[in-house]
Structures are given as C-alpha cells and as structure tokens.
Amino acid sequence: EVQLVESGGGLVQPGGSLRLSCAASGFAFSSYVMMWVRQAPGKGLERISTIGKEGRYTYYINSVKGRFTISRDNAKNTLYLQMNSLKPEDTAMYYCARVVDGGPTGQGTQVTVSS
C-alpha cells in the first residue's frame, strides 16, 4: 500500500521558515517523480514544486521560486520542502504526492503564516 505521510507544518510568522518532510512507503520511492502541492482555504489544489527521480531536476511555480527548495533522500525514502521567507499567502495545507497519481493521497500538513 502506497503511503505518504507529511510532517513539519505549523504556525510561523511572516518571513519565517519551515521544513516539510514526507515519509514514503509501500512503493519504490526512487523510481517516482515527486511533487508538493498545496491547497489554500477556499481554493483548489496548486502544484508548487516537482523533483525528478534522482533529484537533479526541479521545478517551481513563480510564486515560490527562490524561497522554497525541494529535495529528496532516496536512501531514506523521504521528500523535503524547505520553505523560507514565508508569506501569509503561503498559508495552506501542504501535500506530497507522486506525479503519476495526479494529486495527493495523504493527509497533508498545515502551514499557517500569520503574525
């Protein structure tokens, strides 16, 4: 069974940082392109970052480029998202997912950016 468990969210002030983690199990993690998606209150899912199987290829949407860094540790079956210079508009539920699945399958981790 494919399992993706996100963690690391929380309440942070504008300008702060958080590091999200996603523990993967039940599949060959290193064989899959992975992504982080988020859903802000009242809005649809937004794919914010993608990473290739070996971590060499990365993609970011413009609104997070230069502030967020996606990475992966295939030996630990873990995906990461380092988020710096957080803004109130980054407030959302964050999910990791396999790109092939098209959307999240886990429960996500809440990130709230507020003073």
Side-chain angles (χ1 to χ4, degrees), residues 19-97:
R19 188 193 195 202
L20 306 185
S21 297
C22 169
S25 62
F27 65 100
F29 178 71
S30 62
S31 297
Y32 287 83
V33 179
M34 299 294 295
M35 63 181 175
W36 285 96
V37 299
R38 68 185 180 186
Q39 187 166 27
K43 297 189 177 181
L45 285 170
E46 178 180 43
R47 182 187 299 194
I48 59 172
S49 185
T50 303
I51 187 167
K53 298 174 186 179
E54 297 180 1
R56 287 197 291 263
Y57 164 83
T58 58
Y59 163 82
Y60 303 92
I61 59 171
N62 285 339
S63 61
V64 308
K65 197 175 296 183
R67 301 188 297 121
F68 291 9
T69 302
I70 190 171
S71 62
R72 66 192 296 164
D73 186 335
N74 287 343
K76 295 182 178 180
N77 291 343
T78 303
L79 181 71
Y80 301 100
L81 186 68
Q82 177 67 43
M83 305 188 297
N84 298 329
S85 302
L86 283 161
K87 304 176 180 180
E89 52 263 42
D90 295 317
T91 294
M93 186 70 79
Y94 284 71
Y95 304 88
C96 65

